[in-house]
Amino acid sequence: MAEKEVPLTAVQVEALVAMKMIKHSTQAFPTTVTGSIVGMDVGGKLEITNCFPFPVVEMAPESHFDTAAPNPAAAAPRAKANTVYQAEMIRMLREVNIDANNVGWYTSANMGNFINLNVIENQFFYQKELNERAVALVNDVSRSSQGSLSLRAFRLSPKFLAAFRENKFNAEELQKSGLRYQDIFVELPIEIHNSHLITSFIHQLEAPKQAGPTDLPQSLAALESNPSAKSSTVTPNLDNLSLSVDPFLEKNCDLLLDSIETHHTETNNFQYYQRSVGREQTKINNWLQKRKVENATRATLKQPLLPEDEWQRLFKLPQEPSRLESMLNSRQVEQYSRQIDNFVASTTGKMFAVKGNLLPGETAAK
């Protein structure tokens, strides 16, 4: 293992490991799956060389937050039974001379919906108990199914890790520490690595040679019906010319609206807490004022004064709700917003490119 002082700068994932995670996530989609990843820490780069899935076991809720939703698959990495299973698997890997250093865990996601308490507590468990340099790999199955691999690596930031360890998520502590929802995760760049043998094989792949000269196609239909074009491995993807709106855009907008509704609910709950504190504080001030007048009267009559701290026994201020849920929801809203921005950017660019054909009158007027 590398020295602890060297900060992590990147995560290198073997192509076979990526394929195993994709297969595991796709087979169980839309159910959340989790697994362990092993590898080595070399010079600030985390090299992931193997992985294995976690079995789903029923476990009692160990979260110190009452709002943690029960999800056996998502909570599997920190289950006691899976901790024993993971240690046994790593021991067997070590016996066959395979990298057997636990460097984190992986999970699947759908439409970027992975920022929740289960992910936070799993990563906190790994960074606190197993390996402080552990990472969480998130494979978004819905995004990967569109042809581009969506695999991201995250770690909890030191500032958030300290706040989560002490469970300090009230307004006063957050204001002192300056912790924001952007500070929850630290994302690391991912590199997909192939062995030299696989790289050599990929470079040897080539398109089949044409038997003779071919005529240029007269139309798009003729180009699509050409059998040589279909069989070629380097045929351009004509789907990129489609003007249809990405089908995932509507679903992302729905998820974004749900997160915004959750944000409004959390805001209303906090405002209700502030109103409750204001009412109780008013009662306490009235009681203190009344007690001071009474003590002034008793002092005039040379009678013993009554204690003025009895309000702590008579009145009870409501407990401030944790702001952790609001922070996670705000981070999830940012995630959905970025995804929508990526979806809209590609469609908007194509719309501007063909604007002259769609709105010929407006273009001519300009």
Side-chain angles (χ1 to χ4, degrees):
M1 297 291 289
E3 295 182 359
K4 301 297 184 180
E5 290 77 10
V6 180
L8 289 178
T9 57
V11 176
Q12 178 178 291
V13 183
E14 291 292 329
L16 180 60
V17 176
M19 295 298 294
K20 291 169 67 175
M21 288 189 292
I22 293 172
K23 181 180 179 181
H24 184 206
S25 304
T26 305
Q27 288 178 342
F29 184 78
T31 305
T32 301
V33 298
T34 52
S36 179
I37 53 178
V38 294
M40 294 187 301
D41 185 357
V42 181
K45 177 184 289 187
L46 206 60
E47 298 181 359
I48 300 174
T49 56
N50 205 347
C51 69
F52 54 88
F54 282 130
V56 179
V57 295
E58 296 293 337
M59 60 174 290
E62 299 178 354
S63 171
H64 53 279
F65 294 94
D66 297 334
T67 55
N71 189 339
R78 64 180 187 276
K80 293 182 179 179
N82 282 341
T83 303
V84 177
Y85 169 79
Q86 179 178 245
E88 185 67 15
M89 284 290 296
I90 291 178
R91 184 186 65 80
M92 294 180 179
L93 291 175
R94 187 178 294 111
E95 289 179 356
V96 294
N97 198 25
I98 296 178
D99 293 337
N101 297 318
N102 187 283
V103 294
W105 63 291
Y106 71 87
T107 182
S108 63
N110 182 21
M111 305 298 293
N113 186 11
F114 63 91
I115 302 173
N116 51 56
L117 275 177
N118 274 319
V119 172
I120 295 295
E121 295 208 341
N122 288 337
Q123 184 62 20
F124 176 76
F125 171 77
Y126 268 81
Q127 290 189 222
K128 179 184 176 183
E129 303 292 341
L130 301 181
N131 183 0
E132 64 179 3
R133 297 165 71 84
V135 299
L137 297 182
V138 180
N139 175 33
D140 196 327
V141 182
S142 57
R143 294 291 302 277
S144 299
S145 63
Q146 298 302 299
S148 59
L149 176 63
S150 178
L151 187 64
R152 306 169 68 185
F154 295 96
R155 297 183 73 249
L156 295 180
S157 66
K159 186 183 296 186
F160 181 84
L161 202 63
F164 193 84
R165 182 183 294 110
E166 300 177 4
N167 193 14
K168 292 182 178 180
F169 289 101
N170 54 45
E172 182 180 358
E173 293 295 336
L174 292 178
Q175 188 174 6
K176 287 181 180 179
S177 62
L179 183 64
R180 306 172 302 167
Y181 68 88
Q182 296 96 331
D183 302 327
I184 297 178
F185 287 117
V186 175
E187 185 171 3
L188 299 173
I190 286 185
E191 305 172 2
I192 302 297
H193 178 263
N194 283 315
S195 65
H196 297 303
L197 184 62
I198 295 178
T199 304
S200 300
F201 176 74
I202 293 176
H203 282 294
Q204 291 176 2
L205 293 177
E206 60 181 9
K209 297 181 179 179
Q210 300 293 337
T214 57
D215 298 330
L216 294 176
Q218 300 298 323
S219 63
L220 180 61
L223 178 62
E224 293 178 345
S225 61
N226 190 348
S228 62
K230 293 183 178 179
S231 61
S232 176
T233 57
V234 294
T235 303
N237 185 7
L238 301 178
D239 294 338
N240 293 331
L241 301 178
S242 175
L243 297 178
S244 61
V245 179
D246 196 300
F248 287 93
L249 179 59
E250 181 180 357
K251 181 62 176 177
N252 268 272
C253 291
D254 292 339
L255 294 173
L256 178 60
L257 291 175
D258 292 340
S259 296
I260 293 176
E261 288 293 334
T262 304
H263 176 73
H264 285 315
T265 302
E266 292 290 334
T267 302
N268 292 335
N269 292 339
F270 189 73
Q271 290 176 349
Y272 176 77
Y273 156 76
Q274 289 179 319
R275 291 194 297 267
S276 300
V277 170
R279 287 193 296 266
E280 292 297 320
Q281 197 66 46
T282 301
K283 294 179 181 178
I284 293 172
N285 293 336
N286 294 336
W287 185 89
L288 288 175
Q289 186 176 4
K290 183 178 178 181
R291 177 56 58 92
K292 289 180 180 178
V293 173
E294 186 176 357
N295 281 339
T297 305
R298 296 175 69 90
T300 304
L301 299 176
K302 297 183 180 180
Q303 296 179 354
L305 301 181
L306 299 176
E308 295 186 0
D309 57 352
E310 287 186 358
W311 65 270
Q312 299 178 0
R313 179 176 55 85
L314 299 175
F315 301 96
K316 185 177 181 181
L317 292 175
Q319 185 177 3
E320 181 178 353
S322 174
R323 306 294 292 167
L324 177 60
E325 282 288 349
S326 299
M327 293 181 62
L328 295 179
N329 187 71
S330 299
R331 181 65 177 81
Q332 187 65 67
V333 168
E334 182 187 33
Q335 173 69 23
Y336 289 144
S337 301
R338 290 181 177 178
Q339 291 180 171
I340 292 175
D341 182 51
N342 293 335
F343 290 153
V344 174
S346 59
T347 306
T348 305
K350 290 183 288 186
M351 289 296 184
F352 275 109
V354 298
K355 184 177 180 180
N357 293 330
L358 296 177
L359 302 171
E362 181 179 344
T363 306
K366 292 182 179 180

